[in-house]
Amino acid sequence: MKLKHFVIVGLLSFWPGTVFSGPADYAGAFDVDLQQKLPPFSELQKKYAAEAEDYDKGYDYGWNIGTVFNEVFKNTITAYGKREARIAPKNEEAVLNMLAALPEQYYQYIGPYLHQVPGMSEKVLNLPGIKETKNKFPTRLAPQVKDIKNLEFLSPAFYFLLMPEAWPYNIDLKEYPLPEPVKAKAMHNPRFFETVEKIVPMKDFGPDAPAEKKLGRSDLRTPNPSKTSLLTAADVKAFINTLDKVNAFGNQPGRRLSLFAAGTLIDLWESEQGSKLPINRVKDLVNPCQRLAQRIRFLGWENEFQMLIGSEGFNLESWAYTCDKALKAYRVSRMSTAALKNIKLYQSRYYEREVNKQTPYNAKLHFATSAAVLEMYQAPLSDVLEVRKHRGELYDKLLETDNYLLVVPVSNFN
């Protein structure tokens, strides 16, 4: 099984598409259709593994090449050498996009290494700023390395360690005094609190007050959960109860690798169908559980997974919907002030002018990621209040798995 081939293809493939002007253009792009009919796993595996090969060498091993030269290969390379049109090397566009997003002052740390990479694209090597770094030693060095003898003999592959920014001691971490509490301008009105005491007697809410048991909506499970139904605290508790079994399911030998490979195949196939997203993997940030359920069904593991979550009254789809809604509400309930400010800036389209100065692919990727972050924090107030009742327990469970649900990240950006 050539897992490595289509895994590499999935990580390094950049698919062309429509140019987008902002996060709003990605509305609906993160929806997951659990009823979608996907080609068989073996069919996509065979297809993309074959595409990962650069060309057919005509032999399997270097010690069994044979004695007859491949006439078709000879004609191919002869014709290519006589062509004026240049065929872009694999991943050339990806390297150019990464360099375009990098400030030129950092070219001196990566340019010398690029000039030593076998088969590196000439278009990359002749890029202004990169071309001048050939066989050049960086001039902007971190104070920690300036006095090292024979530093000029360091391999260009390690030039990035010479950057001042690579050393945390060079980062100025400013400490700000804690804000002092602001005193109220007006004293409290005693008559107001006397009135409150009459309406809400303190004795009914003291530590020794008898607990009044009432069965409310929070104590009941939601029948047939869907994408749009609201959560209850009982739903959240039932989902938390499945996490240990789900993690044990993924810890079986080879499971995580198969899930990752399945996700890569689905991403490639969806891209061919005309996905709005430059990289479908960002769907995992928005709806990690539905994406996981999609992979489980794709691999034919649904019945086995159903045996694990069925004890809490879930099927695969209802578990995925409950899980995603619980995680979104959980993120909102733990949102920091910094995260809230960034989300408001995304919503106000504050960054669009600067982002549009980047290459079209980098701008598209930035807008898609921004739209994903906005979707990650979309949760009804009711769901947030219900999740808060079990937030501590959910936090502990996610902490045990480093904020991953098998191979899908579920952490927040706080």
Side-chain angles (χ1 to χ4, degrees), residues 271-289:
S271 296
E272 284 190 345
Q273 308 310 307
S275 172
K276 284 184 178 182
L277 300 169
I279 297 181
N280 275 334
R281 192 70 70 178
V282 295
K283 279 187 177 182
D284 295 354
L285 300 175
V286 180
N287 294 305
C289 309

Side-chain angles (χ1 to χ4, degrees), residues 217-219 233 236 384-393:
R217 174 180 172 275
S218 294
D219 303 301
V236 178
V384 177
L385 295 177
E386 295 299 306
V387 166
R388 281 178 61 90
K389 298 173 183 178
H390 296 289
R391 183 172 59 180
E393 189 177 355

Side-chain angles (χ1 to χ4, degrees), residues 323-338:
C323 172
D324 279 335
K325 287 184 289 186
L327 291 176
K328 289 179 182 178
Y330 168 76
R331 294 188 191 108
V332 174
S333 71
R334 296 189 68 246
M335 186 188 303
S336 66
T337 303

Side-chain angles (χ1 to χ4, degrees), residues 17-309:
T18 309
V19 175
F20 292 84
S21 61
D25 293 319
Y26 288 94
F30 304 100
D31 292 341
V32 180
D33 185 4
L34 294 180
Q35 303 300 327
Q36 185 179 33
K37 298 296 182 182
L38 298 171
F41 179 88
S42 57
E43 179 183 325
L44 293 185
Q45 178 187 7
K46 182 178 179 181
K47 174 183 178 181
Y48 294 118
E51 290 184 3
E53 295 286 356
D54 292 334
Y55 58 87
D56 183 7
K57 300 184 292 293
Y59 62 89
D60 294 325
Y61 302 102
W63 58 82
N64 187 25
I65 296 178
T67 58
V68 180
F69 190 79
N70 189 321
E71 189 68 23
V72 176
F73 180 67
K74 173 186 175 182
N75 294 334
T76 301
I77 61 174
T78 301
Y80 174 72
K82 293 179 180 179
R83 290 181 56 176
E84 294 183 3
R86 183 184 68 86
I87 299 177
K90 187 179 181 181
N91 299 323
E92 175 189 90
E93 196 64 29
V95 176
L96 290 172
N97 280 319
M98 286 188 287
L99 292 174
L102 193 68
E104 289 195 16
Q105 63 175 337
Y106 299 122
Y107 283 5
Q108 57 184 299
Y109 305 107
I110 60 175
Y113 172 70
L114 292 178
H115 282 282
Q116 292 188 354
V117 175
M120 179 55 64
S121 163
E122 290 294 324
K123 187 174 181 180
V124 172
L125 298 180
N126 289 321
L127 194 70
I130 295 294
K131 181 178 181 180
E132 294 78 11
T133 61
K134 184 176 181 179
N135 299 326
K136 293 291 184 63
F137 189 76
T139 57
R140 182 173 169 269
L141 304 179
Q144 290 83 355
V145 302
K146 284 185 177 180
D147 297 330
I148 298 178
K149 293 182 179 180
N150 300 321
L151 187 62
E152 63 272 14
F153 296 107
L154 180 70
S155 169
F158 298 103
Y159 279 0
F160 69 94
L161 296 173
L162 305 178
M163 289 191 300
E165 292 79 8
W167 299 79
Y169 310 103
N170 300 329
I171 301 175
D172 184 19
L173 298 176
K174 296 182 178 179
E175 294 186 3
Y176 296 93
L178 295 175
E180 295 183 1
V182 180
K183 296 181 180 180
K185 294 182 179 180
M187 297 298 292
H188 69 274
N189 187 345
R191 292 181 60 188
F192 169 77
F193 288 97
E194 290 173 3
T195 305
V196 172
E197 171 66 21
K198 292 179 181 178
I199 299 174
V200 187
M202 189 177 298
K203 61 181 180 62
D204 294 344
F205 296 90
D208 56 345
E212 187 177 359
K213 267 290 185 180
K214 287 185 179 180
L215 191 64
R217 174 180 172 275
S218 294
D219 303 301
L220 303 176
R221 293 287 301 277
T222 301
N224 302 319
S226 65
K227 287 185 179 181
T228 56
S229 60
L230 297 177
L231 284 176
T232 68
D235 294 333
V236 178
K237 178 62 177 177
F239 159 64
I240 294 174
N241 291 341
T242 66
L243 288 179
D244 287 336
K245 296 179 181 179
V246 170
N247 289 323
F249 169 84
N251 288 333
Q252 298 182 36
R255 278 278 165 88
R256 294 179 187 273
L257 181 59
S258 296
L259 286 168
F260 183 82
T264 301
L265 291 176
I266 294 174
D267 289 344
L268 293 173
W269 184 80
E270 287 184 346
S271 296
E272 284 190 345
Q273 308 310 307
S275 172
K276 284 184 178 182
L277 300 169
I279 297 181
N280 275 334
R281 192 70 70 178
V282 295
K283 279 187 177 182
D284 295 354
L285 300 175
V286 180
N287 294 305
C289 309
Q290 292 177 60
R291 292 281 280 172
L292 179 60
Q294 189 180 38
R295 298 180 193 189
I296 290 173
R297 182 170 285 173
F298 180 55
L299 289 166
W301 297 346
E302 183 173 0
N303 289 338
E304 182 181 353
F305 193 78
Q306 177 67 57
M307 295 295 290
L308 302 177
I309 60 177

